[in-house]
Amino acid sequence: MRPVLAAAMTLAAFGDEPKLWRCMAAFLGVSALFGGAVFAAGLYQGSRTWRSGGGRLVRLDMRVLVVSFALCWGLVSLVFRRTVKNAQRRVLDVTIQRRGKTVHIRALEDTGNGLYDPLTGCAAFVAEAGAIQALFSPQEAVYLRSPAAEAVEHIPGLRLIPYAGVGGDGHLLAAFRPDRVIVDGQERHDLIAAVAPRDIGTDGSYQAVL
């Protein structure tokens, strides 16, 4: 009856989910974690145990039950929320070519990115200066981390595009049109590259925002 009840509970809670088996596995795993942690807390507390029907039972104090359940719930919530957040974040493989040079970077897909080139109307992605410096000569790469106006002055082919920060303040970024941009295996002709003087990602999992 245990598998039958577990399946019934999973269907009641996640019946409309496309990955039902994964939901059931997570449900059983979390249930086992909760049960094992509460059982261990009871044994550590010195609660009395006895055997019944081939299994081992423990009489739990209500305080032990509440505290252990709260700790387990907090830990599982933290892990699952972080996992879901990472799963919802989509990182794409991007290949950029310029004047015979090629770099491969990872770009975070940002549906709220409204950056574009006002001259051509093309959308713009923002890449870290350090991630794309191989596309430029050593003399030019020095200026990629400089203010946008200075970078445009010293690197041929760069131009300025405006962007608004979180606070609504206006700024300028140096940008260029690559000879070729490939995003997850698909060539894109509607993109230009803007240069971020500072690093974008906090954990190194991506070097650009698309």
PDB file of all heavy atoms in Angstrom, residues 126-130 143-148 163 172-174 194-200:
ATOM      1  N   VAL A 126      25.911  42.353 -24.177  1.00  0.00           N
ATOM      2  CA  VAL A 126      27.014  42.959 -23.443  1.00  0.00           C
ATOM      3  C   VAL A 126      27.968  41.860 -23.007  1.00  0.00           C
ATOM      4  O   VAL A 126      27.552  40.897 -22.366  1.00  0.00           O
ATOM      5  CB  VAL A 126      26.508  43.746 -22.216  1.00  0.00           C
ATOM      6  CG1 VAL A 126      27.673  44.447 -21.529  1.00  0.00           C
ATOM      7  CG2 VAL A 126      25.438  44.751 -22.623  1.00  0.00           C
ATOM      8  N   ALA A 127      29.248  42.005 -23.358  1.00  0.00           N
ATOM      9  CA  ALA A 127      30.261  41.005 -23.020  1.00  0.00           C
ATOM     10  C   ALA A 127      31.365  41.643 -22.191  1.00  0.00           C
ATOM     11  O   ALA A 127      31.704  42.815 -22.376  1.00  0.00           O
ATOM     12  CB  ALA A 127      30.848  40.399 -24.295  1.00  0.00           C
ATOM     13  N   GLU A 128      31.917  40.868 -21.274  1.00  0.00           N
ATOM     14  CA  GLU A 128      33.023  41.353 -20.457  1.00  0.00           C
ATOM     15  C   GLU A 128      34.242  41.644 -21.325  1.00  0.00           C
ATOM     16  O   GLU A 128      34.553  40.892 -22.261  1.00  0.00           O
ATOM     17  CB  GLU A 128      33.393  40.318 -19.403  1.00  0.00           C
ATOM     18  CG  GLU A 128      32.300  40.035 -18.389  1.00  0.00           C
ATOM     19  CD  GLU A 128      32.689  38.928 -17.421  1.00  0.00           C
ATOM     20  OE1 GLU A 128      33.815  38.383 -17.599  1.00  0.00           O
ATOM     21  OE2 GLU A 128      31.906  38.625 -16.506  1.00  0.00           O
ATOM     22  N   ALA A 129      34.930  42.715 -21.000  1.00  0.00           N
ATOM     23  CA  ALA A 129      36.121  43.079 -21.760  1.00  0.00           C
ATOM     24  C   ALA A 129      37.151  41.960 -21.741  1.00  0.00           C
ATOM     25  O   ALA A 129      37.772  41.640 -22.764  1.00  0.00           O
ATOM     26  CB  ALA A 129      36.705  44.366 -21.203  1.00  0.00           C
ATOM     27  N   GLY A 130      37.339  41.343 -20.592  1.00  0.00           N
ATOM     28  CA  GLY A 130      38.334  40.283 -20.495  1.00  0.00           C
ATOM     29  C   GLY A 130      37.991  39.060 -21.321  1.00  0.00           C
ATOM     30  O   GLY A 130      38.883  38.321 -21.742  1.00  0.00           O
ATOM     31  N   TYR A 143      42.593  49.214 -23.896  1.00  0.00           N
ATOM     32  CA  TYR A 143      41.588  50.258 -23.763  1.00  0.00           C
ATOM     33  C   TYR A 143      40.163  49.706 -23.591  1.00  0.00           C
ATOM     34  O   TYR A 143      39.232  50.488 -23.414  1.00  0.00           O
ATOM     35  CB  TYR A 143      41.618  51.183 -24.981  1.00  0.00           C
ATOM     36  CG  TYR A 143      42.903  51.961 -25.092  1.00  0.00           C
ATOM     37  CD1 TYR A 143      43.925  51.518 -25.930  1.00  0.00           C
ATOM     38  CD2 TYR A 143      43.101  53.112 -24.351  1.00  0.00           C
ATOM     39  CE1 TYR A 143      45.114  52.222 -26.037  1.00  0.00           C
ATOM     40  CE2 TYR A 143      44.290  53.827 -24.449  1.00  0.00           C
ATOM     41  CZ  TYR A 143      45.294  53.374 -25.289  1.00  0.00           C
ATOM     42  OH  TYR A 143      46.471  54.081 -25.379  1.00  0.00           O
ATOM     43  N   LEU A 144      39.993  48.390 -23.624  1.00  0.00           N
ATOM     44  CA  LEU A 144      38.650  47.829 -23.483  1.00  0.00           C
ATOM     45  C   LEU A 144      38.068  48.091 -22.102  1.00  0.00           C
ATOM     46  O   LEU A 144      36.848  48.187 -21.944  1.00  0.00           O
ATOM     47  CB  LEU A 144      38.668  46.327 -23.764  1.00  0.00           C
ATOM     48  CG  LEU A 144      38.911  45.902 -25.216  1.00  0.00           C
ATOM     49  CD1 LEU A 144      38.973  44.384 -25.326  1.00  0.00           C
ATOM     50  CD2 LEU A 144      37.819  46.453 -26.125  1.00  0.00           C
ATOM     51  N   ARG A 145      38.916  48.187 -21.104  1.00  0.00           N
ATOM     52  CA  ARG A 145      38.451  48.453 -19.739  1.00  0.00           C
ATOM     53  C   ARG A 145      38.451  49.950 -19.410  1.00  0.00           C
ATOM     54  O   ARG A 145      38.169  50.338 -18.282  1.00  0.00           O
ATOM     55  CB  ARG A 145      39.301  47.693 -18.727  1.00  0.00           C
ATOM     56  CG  ARG A 145      39.162  46.169 -18.838  1.00  0.00           C
ATOM     57  CD  ARG A 145      39.902  45.479 -17.719  1.00  0.00           C
ATOM     58  NE  ARG A 145      39.795  44.031 -17.789  1.00  0.00           N
ATOM     59  CZ  ARG A 145      38.787  43.320 -17.281  1.00  0.00           C
ATOM     60  NH1 ARG A 145      37.804  43.953 -16.668  1.00  0.00           N
ATOM     61  NH2 ARG A 145      38.754  42.010 -17.383  1.00  0.00           N
ATOM     62  N   SER A 146      38.774  50.773 -20.386  1.00  0.00           N
ATOM     63  CA  SER A 146      38.750  52.221 -20.187  1.00  0.00           C
ATOM     64  C   SER A 146      37.331  52.739 -20.358  1.00  0.00           C
ATOM     65  O   SER A 146      36.433  52.006 -20.808  1.00  0.00           O
ATOM     66  CB  SER A 146      39.688  52.897 -21.197  1.00  0.00           C
ATOM     67  OG  SER A 146      41.000  52.390 -21.088  1.00  0.00           O
ATOM     68  N   PRO A 147      37.068  53.987 -20.006  1.00  0.00           N
ATOM     69  CA  PRO A 147      35.762  54.582 -20.302  1.00  0.00           C
ATOM     70  C   PRO A 147      35.431  54.452 -21.779  1.00  0.00           C
ATOM     71  O   PRO A 147      36.323  54.436 -22.636  1.00  0.00           O
ATOM     72  CB  PRO A 147      35.945  56.044 -19.876  1.00  0.00           C
ATOM     73  CG  PRO A 147      36.991  55.994 -18.814  1.00  0.00           C
ATOM     74  CD  PRO A 147      37.935  54.897 -19.227  1.00  0.00           C
ATOM     75  N   ALA A 148      34.131  54.355 -22.079  1.00  0.00           N
ATOM     76  CA  ALA A 148      33.690  54.057 -23.439  1.00  0.00           C
ATOM     77  C   ALA A 148      34.232  55.038 -24.459  1.00  0.00           C
ATOM     78  O   ALA A 148      34.690  54.647 -25.548  1.00  0.00           O
ATOM     79  CB  ALA A 148      32.165  54.027 -23.483  1.00  0.00           C
ATOM     80  N   TYR A 163      22.807  53.427 -22.946  1.00  0.00           N
ATOM     81  CA  TYR A 163      22.009  52.477 -22.176  1.00  0.00           C
ATOM     82  C   TYR A 163      21.622  53.122 -20.865  1.00  0.00           C
ATOM     83  O   TYR A 163      22.274  54.063 -20.391  1.00  0.00           O
ATOM     84  CB  TYR A 163      22.778  51.172 -21.935  1.00  0.00           C
ATOM     85  CG  TYR A 163      23.749  51.200 -20.783  1.00  0.00           C
ATOM     86  CD1 TYR A 163      23.385  50.706 -19.525  1.00  0.00           C
ATOM     87  CD2 TYR A 163      25.029  51.719 -20.941  1.00  0.00           C
ATOM     88  CE1 TYR A 163      24.274  50.729 -18.466  1.00  0.00           C
ATOM     89  CE2 TYR A 163      25.929  51.743 -19.884  1.00  0.00           C
ATOM     90  CZ  TYR A 163      25.541  51.243 -18.654  1.00  0.00           C
ATOM     91  OH  TYR A 163      26.415  51.273 -17.605  1.00  0.00           O
ATOM     92  N   LEU A 172      27.033  55.321 -21.492  1.00  0.00           N
ATOM     93  CA  LEU A 172      27.450  54.938 -22.835  1.00  0.00           C
ATOM     94  C   LEU A 172      28.314  53.687 -22.756  1.00  0.00           C
ATOM     95  O   LEU A 172      29.094  53.510 -21.805  1.00  0.00           O
ATOM     96  CB  LEU A 172      28.240  56.066 -23.505  1.00  0.00           C
ATOM     97  CG  LEU A 172      27.468  57.353 -23.817  1.00  0.00           C
ATOM     98  CD1 LEU A 172      28.432  58.426 -24.304  1.00  0.00           C
ATOM     99  CD2 LEU A 172      26.382  57.098 -24.854  1.00  0.00           C
ATOM    100  N   LEU A 173      28.171  52.834 -23.766  1.00  0.00           N
ATOM    101  CA  LEU A 173      29.003  51.653 -23.898  1.00  0.00           C
ATOM    102  C   LEU A 173      29.675  51.669 -25.259  1.00  0.00           C
ATOM    103  O   LEU A 173      29.080  52.099 -26.258  1.00  0.00           O
ATOM    104  CB  LEU A 173      28.172  50.372 -23.768  1.00  0.00           C
ATOM    105  CG  LEU A 173      27.657  49.972 -22.387  1.00  0.00           C
ATOM    106  CD1 LEU A 173      26.779  48.741 -22.494  1.00  0.00           C
ATOM    107  CD2 LEU A 173      28.814  49.712 -21.428  1.00  0.00           C
ATOM    108  N   ALA A 174      30.902  51.193 -25.302  1.00  0.00           N
ATOM    109  CA  ALA A 174      31.574  50.991 -26.578  1.00  0.00           C
ATOM    110  C   ALA A 174      31.042  49.710 -27.211  1.00  0.00           C
ATOM    111  O   ALA A 174      30.852  48.706 -26.529  1.00  0.00           O
ATOM    112  CB  ALA A 174      33.084  50.911 -26.375  1.00  0.00           C
ATOM    113  N   ALA A 194      28.427  44.859 -27.305  1.00  0.00           N
ATOM    114  CA  ALA A 194      28.823  45.985 -26.459  1.00  0.00           C
ATOM    115  C   ALA A 194      29.821  45.481 -25.428  1.00  0.00           C
ATOM    116  O   ALA A 194      29.769  44.321 -25.000  1.00  0.00           O
ATOM    117  CB  ALA A 194      27.608  46.596 -25.776  1.00  0.00           C
ATOM    118  N   VAL A 195      30.729  46.346 -25.024  1.00  0.00           N
ATOM    119  CA  VAL A 195      31.822  45.952 -24.134  1.00  0.00           C
ATOM    120  C   VAL A 195      31.554  46.463 -22.726  1.00  0.00           C
ATOM    121  O   VAL A 195      31.318  47.659 -22.514  1.00  0.00           O
ATOM    122  CB  VAL A 195      33.161  46.515 -24.641  1.00  0.00           C
ATOM    123  CG1 VAL A 195      34.303  46.036 -23.744  1.00  0.00           C
ATOM    124  CG2 VAL A 195      33.401  46.099 -26.088  1.00  0.00           C
ATOM    125  N   ALA A 196      31.574  45.549 -21.759  1.00  0.00           N
ATOM    126  CA  ALA A 196      31.444  45.915 -20.347  1.00  0.00           C
ATOM    127  C   ALA A 196      32.841  46.006 -19.753  1.00  0.00           C
ATOM    128  O   ALA A 196      33.566  45.006 -19.735  1.00  0.00           O
ATOM    129  CB  ALA A 196      30.618  44.878 -19.600  1.00  0.00           C
ATOM    130  N   PRO A 197      33.264  47.183 -19.276  1.00  0.00           N
ATOM    131  CA  PRO A 197      34.610  47.311 -18.720  1.00  0.00           C
ATOM    132  C   PRO A 197      34.839  46.419 -17.507  1.00  0.00           C
ATOM    133  O   PRO A 197      35.964  45.974 -17.266  1.00  0.00           O
ATOM    134  CB  PRO A 197      34.692  48.793 -18.343  1.00  0.00           C
ATOM    135  CG  PRO A 197      33.619  49.462 -19.144  1.00  0.00           C
ATOM    136  CD  PRO A 197      32.536  48.450 -19.280  1.00  0.00           C
ATOM    137  N   ARG A 198      33.778  46.139 -16.756  1.00  0.00           N
ATOM    138  CA  ARG A 198      33.908  45.310 -15.555  1.00  0.00           C
ATOM    139  C   ARG A 198      33.274  43.941 -15.796  1.00  0.00           C
ATOM    140  O   ARG A 198      32.494  43.742 -16.719  1.00  0.00           O
ATOM    141  CB  ARG A 198      33.232  45.989 -14.355  1.00  0.00           C
ATOM    142  CG  ARG A 198      33.838  47.347 -14.014  1.00  0.00           C
ATOM    143  CD  ARG A 198      33.126  47.960 -12.818  1.00  0.00           C
ATOM    144  NE  ARG A 198      33.686  49.268 -12.470  1.00  0.00           N
ATOM    145  CZ  ARG A 198      33.307  50.399 -13.029  1.00  0.00           C
ATOM    146  NH1 ARG A 198      32.378  50.399 -13.966  1.00  0.00           N
ATOM    147  NH2 ARG A 198      33.862  51.538 -12.659  1.00  0.00           N
ATOM    148  N   ASP A 199      33.599  42.998 -14.913  1.00  0.00           N
ATOM    149  CA  ASP A 199      33.044  41.654 -15.021  1.00  0.00           C
ATOM    150  C   ASP A 199      31.545  41.688 -14.781  1.00  0.00           C
ATOM    151  O   ASP A 199      31.039  42.460 -13.960  1.00  0.00           O
ATOM    152  CB  ASP A 199      33.706  40.717 -14.015  1.00  0.00           C
ATOM    153  CG  ASP A 199      35.180  40.475 -14.346  1.00  0.00           C
ATOM    154  OD1 ASP A 199      35.580  40.788 -15.478  1.00  0.00           O
ATOM    155  OD2 ASP A 199      35.904  39.985 -13.467  1.00  0.00           O
ATOM    156  N   ILE A 200      30.827  40.816 -15.492  1.00  0.00           N
ATOM    157  CA  ILE A 200      29.366  40.765 -15.395  1.00  0.00           C
ATOM    158  C   ILE A 200      28.922  39.685 -14.420  1.00  0.00           C
ATOM    159  O   ILE A 200      28.161  39.929 -13.501  1.00  0.00           O
ATOM    160  CB  ILE A 200      28.742  40.529 -16.785  1.00  0.00           C
ATOM    161  CG1 ILE A 200      29.061  41.699 -17.713  1.00  0.00           C
ATOM    162  CG2 ILE A 200      27.230  40.339 -16.669  1.00  0.00           C
ATOM    163  CD1 ILE A 200      28.572  41.497 -19.126  1.00  0.00           C
TER     164      ILE A 200
END
